[in-house]
């Protein structure tokens, strides 16, 4: 509710707890969809904006994809 339309479902900060505020902490935006689900125009625009800033955006369709990212 508090985010603009198209914002990813989840934002993950990945790194060691001691390094979360340092530049090598990775920010990963996750959009969860069913195997047949499609991104909206706003979601595609959000993905393009995130990737242009050098962050990681992943479209997740299977639990195995999520597990691989979080491992």
């Amino acid at each position: 509710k508090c985010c603009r339309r198209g914002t990813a479902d989840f934002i993950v900060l990945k790194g060691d707890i001691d390094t979360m505020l340092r530049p090598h902490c990775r920010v990963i935006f996750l959009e969860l969809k069913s195997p047949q689900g499609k991104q909206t125009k706003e979601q595609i625009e959000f993905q393009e904006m995130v990737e242009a800033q050098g962050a990681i955006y992943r479209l997740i369709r299977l639990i195995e994809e999520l597990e691989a990212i979080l491992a």
Side-chain angles (χ1 to χ4, degrees):
K1 283 186 166 183
C2 297
C3 298
R4 65 174 242 176
R5 293 181 68 90
T7 301
D9 294 320
F10 294 95
I11 301 170
V12 176
L13 299 176
K14 190 168 182 182
D16 295 330
I17 193 68
D18 295 332
T19 61
M20 290 306 259
L21 299 178
R22 296 188 185 152
H24 57 278
C25 174
R26 292 189 298 162
V27 178
I28 307 170
F29 294 85
L30 304 176
E31 181 64 38
L32 280 57
K33 293 285 183 195
S34 70
Q36 296 81 26
K38 296 184 180 185
Q39 288 176 291
T40 64
K41 175 183 165 244
E42 292 87 2
Q43 289 169 332
I44 293 168
E45 290 171 355
F46 182 82
Q47 177 181 358
E48 291 169 349
M49 178 189 67
V50 162
E51 292 175 337
Q53 297 298 316
I56 301 168
Y57 182 100
R58 294 290 181 262
L59 183 60
I60 305 295
R61 297 183 182 281
L62 302 170
I63 190 71
E64 292 82 9
E65 294 171 332
L66 179 60
E67 290 171 344
I69 288 171
L70 297 179

